């Protein structure tokens, strides 16, 4: 099994087919989208492929170490940034092909007008230790 992170972006990915921002959806459209996401996660829980997931608020800040005895440096919030992450889901699947299949399915979540968004999802494998080679 291999773990993958699927990242949903508010903005920053190539434009989705149904590119109406969520803040312009009706309450029913938002509910349908969230229900699709919950149903998707529940189905993957049953198959053993779901690890975790969470939606994220648009607010946030960058934080970094600023040296010994100094408080961390913060900058933000960046709600207008092009690469703000809307949420994430971790899956544990048998292959990269299965991860791509699931990301494609998640991309079909409904949006404005109840039509699939066709949003781009960032799919990233977890970094694992390189194989041990013995001679």
């Amino acid at each position: 099994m291999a773990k993958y992170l699927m990242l949903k972006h508010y903005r920053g990915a190539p434009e989705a087919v149904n590119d109406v921002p969520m803040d312009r959806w009706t309450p029913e459209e938002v509910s349908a989208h969230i229900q699709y996401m919950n149903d998707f996660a529940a189905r993957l829980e049953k198959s053993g492929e779901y690890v975790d997931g969470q939606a994220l608020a648009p607010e946030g800040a960058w934080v970094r170490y600023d040296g010994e005895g100094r408080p961390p440096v913060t900058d933000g919030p960046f709600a207008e940034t092009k690469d703000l992450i809307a949420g994430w889901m971790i899956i544990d699947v048998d292959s990269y092909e299965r991860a791509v299949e699931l990301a494609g399915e998640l991309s079909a979540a409904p949006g404005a007008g109840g039509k699939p968004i066709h949003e781009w999802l960032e799919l990233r494998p977890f970094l694992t230790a390189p194989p041990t080679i013995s001679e």
Side-chain angles (χ1 to χ4, degrees):
M1 299 287 275
K3 288 187 177 141
Y4 287 86
L5 176 65
M6 293 190 289
L7 292 171
K8 292 175 63 70
H9 294 265
Y10 282 110
R11 295 175 288 284
E15 189 173 310
V17 173
N18 186 358
D19 194 27
V20 178
M22 188 181 259
D23 62 1
R24 295 197 321 223
W25 296 359
T26 67
E28 295 78 20
E29 291 166 342
V30 172
S31 292
H33 181 81
I34 292 170
Q35 188 62 54
Y36 183 97
M37 302 288 291
N38 290 339
D39 292 346
F40 181 81
R43 190 169 49 85
L44 294 186
E45 275 186 296
K46 288 180 185 170
S47 70
E49 296 173 305
Y50 179 82
V51 176
D52 201 2
Q54 189 68 49
L56 299 172
E59 301 81 27
W62 290 95
V63 179
R64 74 170 171 85
Y65 174 74
D66 198 38
E68 187 65 39
R70 299 175 69 173
V73 175
T74 61
D75 197 7
F78 295 102
E80 74 283 355
T81 188
K82 66 178 183 160
D83 50 359
L84 189 66
I85 297 172
W88 52 270
M89 184 177 290
I90 298 171
I91 56 174
D92 196 356
V93 294
D94 289 328
S95 66
Y96 170 76
E97 291 76 20
R98 177 64 175 154
V100 168
E101 177 185 342
L102 292 174
E105 187 177 332
L106 189 57
S107 169
K115 297 178 182 166
I117 299 172
H118 297 264
E119 71 179 323
W120 289 90
L121 297 172
E122 185 177 352
L123 183 64
R124 307 262 315 257
F126 277 39
L127 185 61
T128 59
T132 303
I133 300 173
S134 36
E135 296 186 29

